[in-house]
Amino acid sequence: LLSEELRLYFTRITLPVERSTSPAAVDEAMSAVGRDSGIQELVPFFIRFISQQIYHNVGRVPYCRTLVRLAGRLVSNPNLHIELNLHQMLPPLITCVVARRLVVPVDEEGAGSGDGGNHWALREEAAGVLVNACAA
């Protein structure tokens, strides 16, 4: 249902986010989502991507922070109307705010992330995106 151009755009945004290849590539992808005007058709796809990735990677705090940043860029883009898809984006963001365990503990064999990043920063960023989504 999407044009080849939009599918390519979606891939060019999600690939650096998923692979975290370089901070510059991720920042460039975030910047594009925050300003581009012709991506309204991709909003449901981005929201589904963010939701699925947060739920599947809830123990990976740095990755979840990147996903929350992506959600924030969608919310802050003045050219997009996300109201119809907001009900799909709010639950994973709320999970990032109130989840009991956002960090996977290290077990006896050393498996798990242990450090996992700053879960308080993730909670604060997700709360900020929620506030912006409600204000928009």
Side-chain angles (χ1 to χ4, degrees):
L1 297 173
L2 290 176
S3 69
E4 182 68 29
E5 187 177 79
L6 284 175
R7 280 184 272 174
L8 181 62
Y9 183 93
F10 182 79
T11 302
R12 286 187 173 217
I13 298 298
T14 57
L15 214 53
V17 170
E18 279 182 309
R19 294 187 180 165
S20 298
T21 51
S22 73
V26 173
D27 288 342
E28 185 179 325
M30 297 289 176
S31 177
V33 169
R35 73 172 183 274
D36 289 349
S37 60
I39 59 171
Q40 181 65 45
E41 293 177 48
L42 290 175
V43 168
F45 295 95
F46 279 126
I47 290 175
R48 186 171 355 138
F49 170 77
I50 292 166
S51 298
Q52 289 174 346
Q53 292 298 311
I54 285 176
Y55 287 136
H56 287 85
N57 295 285
V58 80
R60 295 176 55 204
V61 173
Y63 182 56
C64 287
R65 284 184 71 188
T66 301
L67 294 166
V68 167
R69 282 180 48 216
L70 181 59
R73 292 299 182 138
L74 284 172
V75 168
S76 67
N77 186 329
N79 303 305
L80 300 180
H81 304 284
I82 62 165
E83 297 84 16
L84 294 176
N85 303 96
L86 213 49
H87 68 284
Q88 295 171 330
M89 189 168 62
L90 294 182
L93 291 174
I94 292 170
T95 297
C96 288
V97 174
V98 301
R100 178 176 238 161
R101 289 193 174 213
L102 288 176
V103 179
V104 176
V106 176
D107 61 12
E108 292 76 31
E109 286 86 36
S113 69
D115 130 35
N118 185 351
H119 71 95
W120 292 113
L122 170 61
R123 292 176 195 276
E124 288 176 11
E125 285 181 38
V129 173
L130 284 168
V131 167
N132 291 341
C134 291

